[in-house]
Amino acid sequence: MAALSDIGVIGLAVMGENLILNMESKGFQVTAYNRTVDKVDNFVNGRAKGKNITGAHSIEELIGSLKSPRKVMLMVKAGKPVDDFIELLIPHLDKGDIIIDGGNSHFPDTERRVNYVESKGLRYIGTGVSGGEEGALLGPSIMPGGSKEAWEEVKPIFQGIAAKVDDGAPCCDWVGDGGAGHFVKMVHNGIEYGDMQLICEIYQLMKDVLGMNADEMHEIFKEWNEGELDSYLIEITRDILAYKEDGTPIIDKILDTAGQKGTGKWTGTVALELGIPLTLITESVFARCLSALKDERVAASKVLTAGPKPSFDGDKKQFIDQLRDALYAAKVISYAQGYQMMRSAAKEYGWELNYGNIALMWRGGCIIRSRFLGNIKEAFDNNPDLTNLLLDPYFAEKIQACQDGLRKVTATAMLNGIPVPCLSAGINYYDGYRTERLPANLLQAQRDYFGAHTYERLDQPRGKYFHTNWTGRGGETSSTSYGV
Ligand code: 6PG
């Protein structure tokens, strides 16, 4: 009889298969199961052949093949399939056994599932896994949360298969209770959306304002990837721009409509619920929505012809340097917003998030991995209570040096009719955040004028509310004050 397995994995799509191969390569014995059992045989006789991987043809067989406490990891589509498998697994599991969801589940679902599974005497982990197919195989970033007592049981496997940074530290650590792991993965994905859109805006400026071709742009991204912007997304952009099909760049043939599976949208929605100005990421979601309206845009391009035609007669080299600074500055702002949201969520949901560790988890293996996350880790290690990344001494100096580039690039884009929703959201946030006196005094006056919503005064202590009878017809009664 084969030795009992360390872990079972359900779901043999590419992420599931690659995670299993990764686990096996690190010395773990794995059982693989899939609802369509043909896939199990194909895998065991194909990519898994000759390895310490057992195929199971039923849930019973899967459970029977596992060491106690049993660990079963779901690598299935987020949503109903996860709930269905939980129901199928529960009757076969014993007290203390662990169900793990490694898909992109929405964190409130994970929160609910942790409570439900724990109520059955079992333990539950909802974990973000980032890095795409290659990451799953060679070392992903793993962000687990849920039943804390289950962490020590899965830690050797998770940290064993995770990506490692230069000093050997794994890009995986315990995130927190309930849905904390999936929450952090959601924010990761939101940041991923923002980073991608920012690169796309820079690309359009290079192409349409500077008239650069794919090879020229490839050279610039190559150069940037050797400096402070060094990151996986810059690296793949460099390679995409160099990729030719029949001698011409494939990028020029790809339809300009973006897809999305929903994690970016969740990030924006949750930011609105928390009242956090997550403007850059949310704009990146809307940018994808606008891109998807291809037919409407084509029609509008024939009607709304008024507007500038891109042209450039300045110093090209200088503008490219400004583009680099703009990208860097906007990235810092986006991460500052993302971290601000995590702080707010931690308070709201009672999580104790370690922001330095989150940066370390994102430093390698995941889609947003970059050199710059090392600086973010340092910022939070130096001050775990940092209210905003922009206020960290290192980033404050950096952003002040780069903000001029972001400002000039955004202005140039607007004067040339190039849409830059994320770059402009970035500079607007920077200017808004550093403005001591915003025009919300007028807004409060308007609210009080038409709805007696009251206002606070500069010449009175905070928390004291006033109402003015603006028209002489309103009386002295004010509505109650409340915040959302
Ligand atoms: C990752 C990615 C991944 C994500 C895809 C698709 O961290 O490996 O974030 O989890 O699901 O990139 O996302 P969209 O289809 O929404 O672009």
Side-chain angles (χ1 to χ4, degrees), residues 448-449 452 454-455 457 466-471 475-476:
D448 191 54
Y449 189 108
T454 74
Y455 53 85
R457 296 179 61 104
F466 298 86
H467 168 59
T468 294
N469 182 354
W470 299 90
T471 58
E476 297 307 317

Side-chain angles (χ1 to χ4, degrees), residues 6 18 65 103 105 127 136 164 203 237-238 251 294 303 348 358 407 471 473:
D6 298 293
N18 284 0
S65 74
S105 291
T127 184
K164 311 286 180 302
Y203 154 78
T237 304
R238 173 198 71 192
I251 189 68
K294 174 74 178 176
V303 180
E348 175 77 18
I358 292 171
R407 198 177 298 286
T471 58
R473 298 186 297 274

